[in-house]
Amino acid sequence: MAHGVHPNFMEKHEEHQRSELQKGLVIKHNANQPCATSAVTSFLFKEVARMNNLPTQEFVVRNDMGCGSPIGPILASGVGIHTVDCGIAQLSMNNIREISAKEDVDFAFKHFKAFYQTFSSIDKKLLTVD
């Protein structure tokens, strides 16, 4: 999951990096590296989306705001595979009234299915040197 921008707290998010409901999967970045997303994995993830006409968005935590600690970096360091932290935008994370959009669940299903069908071909193109 990813923190969606709440209309009452717009100032808590970077102006051009606001995760919105119904806008597709969110790729999460953080300069302090609690997220496992890298430039390469972000590209791969967005390329799968582009090839399958699926929306994505990016979320960057403001420098002066705290955030949780996804398990992505821990898993990635143990297995040595390409990793991207992503999720569906939601409001009120870790609250009993969490809210997300049903369209984003469908986008997630389609994106993950497309990823398993096309990742190898995209990854091979990255490794090919002319």
Side-chain angles (χ1 to χ4, degrees):
M1 301 304 285
H3 290 284
V5 64
H6 192 288
N8 292 338
F9 302 101
M10 302 279 278
E11 73 282 355
K12 298 284 185 181
H13 296 266
E14 287 287 353
E15 183 178 355
H16 300 289
Q17 301 291 322
R18 294 178 175 158
S19 307
E20 298 182 49
L21 278 63
Q22 302 178 331
K23 300 285 176 121
L25 279 177
V26 179
I27 302 167
K28 300 186 285 185
H29 303 270
N30 190 314
N32 295 325
Q33 298 190 350
C35 295
T37 305
S38 70
V40 171
T41 60
S42 178
F43 167 79
L44 290 168
F45 199 80
K46 289 186 283 189
E47 186 64 8
V48 168
R50 185 194 64 76
M51 290 174 63
N52 292 277
N53 200 31
L54 295 166
T56 61
Q57 46 187 329
E58 301 196 46
F59 173 72
V60 177
V61 176
R62 275 184 30 185
N63 290 340
D64 61 342
M65 300 294 294
C67 70
S69 54
I71 62 169
I74 296 167
L75 294 173
S77 67
V79 294
I81 60 174
H82 292 308
T83 308
V84 63
D85 277 311
C86 65
I88 296 171
Q90 74 176 92
L91 299 178
S92 305
M93 189 179 291
N94 304 320
N95 186 302
I96 62 168
R97 293 179 185 90
E98 293 176 340
I99 298 170
S100 60
K102 65 180 178 62
E103 293 85 357
D104 288 330
V105 175
D106 189 46
F107 288 141
F109 172 77
K110 289 176 180 176
H111 196 118
F112 295 143
K113 182 178 177 184
F115 179 84
Y116 284 111
Q117 293 172 340
T118 60
F119 171 76
S120 294
S121 62
I122 297 169
D123 193 44
K124 284 179 189 174
K125 290 177 186 175
L126 269 181
L127 300 175
T128 303
V129 179
D130 292 334

